[in-house]
Amino acid sequence: MTQDISESSHAALPREAPDGAAPDPKRRLAFAVVLIAGFMDLVDTTIVNVTVPSIQRDLHADYAQIEWVIAAYVLSFAALLILSGRLGDIYGRKRVFLIGMAGFTVASLLCGVAVNPEMLIVSRFLQGAAAGLMVTQILAILHVVFPPGERGKAVAIFGAVTGSSAVFGLALGGVVVQWDLFGWEWRPIFLVNVPVGIAALIAGTLVIRESRAPRRPKLDLLGMPLAIAAVVLLVYPLTEGRRLGWPTWIYGMIAGALVLLAVFLAYEKRRFAKVGSALVEFGVFRSRSFSIGMAVWFLFWTAVGGFFFVWTLFLQQGLGWTPMHAGLTAATFAIGVGIGAGNAPDKLVPKFGRNVLVAGGIVNAIGFVAFSVLVAQYGHSLASWQIIPVHIVSGIGFGLIVAPTLDLLLGQVPGEQAGNASGLLNTVQQLGMALGVALTGVIFFAQVGNAAGDAVDEATPVLKSALSSAGVTSQDQLLTDFRSCVQQRADSVDPSKVPAACLTDDPKAAGAFGSAIARADSVSYSTAFRTVLLLDAGILLIAAAGFLTLPKHTRTADEAARNTEPTEPTEVTA
């Protein structure tokens, strides 16, 4: 699962409008439009994960193609992060937002009517790219249309709703598959975006006010392809490496990405020195707090990105739950996110500053450790009512971090560099999630394979008893096949394939055999999931300590500048 849980990390913040400026009379309607856009993006980031079997069956897709359906969105989204923020600064945030919304709506329609896996993959690429154009403008628009006195509350509501929407996507996907609306199976998850997108487009045209950067930067025609190529070369191998068995050329791509990144940075420095404008302006790194905070932000998303990846795998593959059961249980995480994100920016951060982020990391880690204890204690018999409390605790910690972090970190740089800094934070977030998924995938599935022997040993006595009760007297070959089945399933990179050893021609043995396989899967997946939870909890604690490097109460660079320098130009609005 992927992908981008907090919308607050996607947007570029403009310089604030003068405090005495008249509030935009349409600001609440504009807020509703961008809230819908952010909600649509994050739902579509995760909703596909629980509809995979339905898509695979309907389109006759192989597992590699299904992986690309998921990866295509993330890859194209990540590739456009820095560029789209700059386009908004130059050509207008409303204009770029509406172009992105239109593209997202059309791409959603193409996804919903896809007739083969190739069409769905290409449509997902387009959908991710359009989302990258659209959502990078959202907080910028909010900071233009809301006066300072209302801005904190708007951001808090926005963080609470969109911070929960990615988890909501898991629940919605499960419900859609279970209900099979109109006999369309998985297609409504995309088609619902079409009427919503059209309505949001019309409303956005009427109620959102245009804005641009006070000093319009020049478009960096060489920096753009260099940045996109570097991100793609890094995100692709992290996303696809495990499925491909980590061949040598995958490591070559990673090395090439690092070389290209070095070339990009050298070019950007040279361009800024000569032209005074670049895709990435390195003045943001003069702030030590921002630089360290960006590294901590990367660590945080590495941890939670890995968790989201294996979370629903455990609920469905390990516990054997249906997509609807897993999705609705996972959605309770959103309750905690809403509590944390809804209170952090407007109520807690003004009083406690960086300590809110520290507390968020600790609370999230406590939730993961508690989850690990429950898995160890109850294993395959774990019930939803036991998981829900730890979901809420983890969600609160998550919400305490995702809602206020961007504002706190961007407060360390001058307002004219906020769009640039936000683009960097967006990219760091996506790379952190990609790395978290890649590393977690390697660790998780290695643990599943290592635990297969113990899983067989635990499930075999139950299988023997069930076979005897069913009247099966010749058990030796079945027990051998059972061991081979569990090990082959654990070692496979394609969970949709059923090894031959998992099939039996004896109708009397079939029920017992299937139950034993499910029990063994539960044991091996539980062992692996506990390992991931404890590892992610450790990373979160390191991130919590890292947040201590931020100033206790953030005084923005602009506030400091106003005390010593003439007033800078404000946002250009229309």
Side-chain angles (χ1 to χ4, degrees), residues 66 68 233 280 392 406 545 565:
I66 290 298
W68 266 109
L233 281 175
V280 175
I392 294 174
L406 187 121
E565 298 178 2

Side-chain angles (χ1 to χ4, degrees), residues 122-395:
V122 171
S123 300
R124 285 284 284 175
F125 264 114
L126 296 175
Q127 193 185 36
L133 289 176
M134 176 176 68
V135 300
T136 47
Q137 318 305 323
I138 291 177
L139 279 187
I141 291 171
L142 291 184
H143 275 245
V144 169
V145 302
F146 280 99
E150 298 178 12
R151 198 171 295 146
K153 185 177 180 181
V155 171
I157 295 172
F158 185 79
V161 173
T162 57
S164 306
S165 60
V167 182
F168 178 79
L170 298 172
L172 182 60
V175 171
V176 167
V177 171
Q178 196 86 11
W179 286 354
D180 190 16
L181 300 173
F182 311 111
W184 292 350
E185 299 189 56
W186 54 273
R187 297 179 187 274
I189 69 174
F190 297 115
L191 294 177
V192 70
N193 291 334
V194 177
V196 175
I198 292 172
L201 243 152
I202 296 171
T205 302
L206 298 174
V207 303
I208 297 176
R209 188 172 65 187
E210 184 60 282
S211 66
R212 297 178 180 86
R215 298 187 184 92
R216 293 178 64 179
K218 296 180 181 179
L219 198 60
D220 188 351
L221 294 177
L222 180 58
M224 290 188 300
L226 283 175
I228 291 172
V231 171
V232 170
L233 281 175
L234 186 57
V235 173
Y236 173 79
L238 292 178
T239 304
E240 292 291 292
R242 179 189 164 268
R243 181 183 66 81
L244 299 173
W246 298 102
T248 303
W249 61 266
I250 282 283
Y251 295 103
M253 285 188 72
I254 296 175
L258 297 177
V259 171
L260 200 58
L261 179 62
V263 172
F264 169 72
L265 295 177
Y267 167 76
E268 291 295 294
K269 286 184 178 180
R270 183 179 177 185
R271 174 183 168 84
F272 185 75
K274 292 179 65 176
V275 182
S277 173
L279 196 60
V280 175
E281 298 178 4
F282 295 91
V284 294
F285 294 107
R286 295 191 186 114
S287 168
R288 178 176 173 272
S289 296
F290 174 81
S291 300
I292 296 176
M294 190 162 65
V296 177
W297 189 236
F298 177 82
L299 273 180
F300 170 73
W301 282 105
T302 299
V304 297
F307 167 73
F308 287 132
F309 173 61
V310 299
W311 181 26
T312 51
L313 273 177
F314 168 72
L315 295 181
Q316 293 183 76
Q317 304 270 356
L319 298 183
W321 291 0
T322 65
M324 186 173 184
H325 185 183
L328 291 177
T329 302
T332 58
F333 188 93
I335 297 173
V337 177
I339 295 171
N343 289 282
D346 198 33
K347 298 177 182 178
L348 299 177
V349 169
K351 292 182 179 179
F352 304 107
R354 70 184 182 199
N355 292 332
V356 174
L357 305 181
V358 177
I362 294 172
V363 170
N364 201 342
I366 289 172
F368 284 178
V369 171
F371 204 165
S372 174
V373 171
L374 286 176
V375 173
Q377 182 71 26
Y378 296 102
H380 67 277
S381 63
L382 197 60
S384 292
W385 66 267
Q386 294 168 312
I387 294 177
I388 288 172
V390 298
H391 273 180
I392 294 174
V393 170
S394 299

Side-chain angles (χ1 to χ4, degrees), residues 110 127 165 178-179 183 195 305 348 383 436 441 445 456 460 462 467 475 512 522:
L110 294 175
Q127 193 185 36
S165 60
Q178 196 86 11
W179 286 354
L348 299 177
F445 289 107
V456 169
T460 295
V462 179
L467 290 174
Q475 299 183 5
S522 174

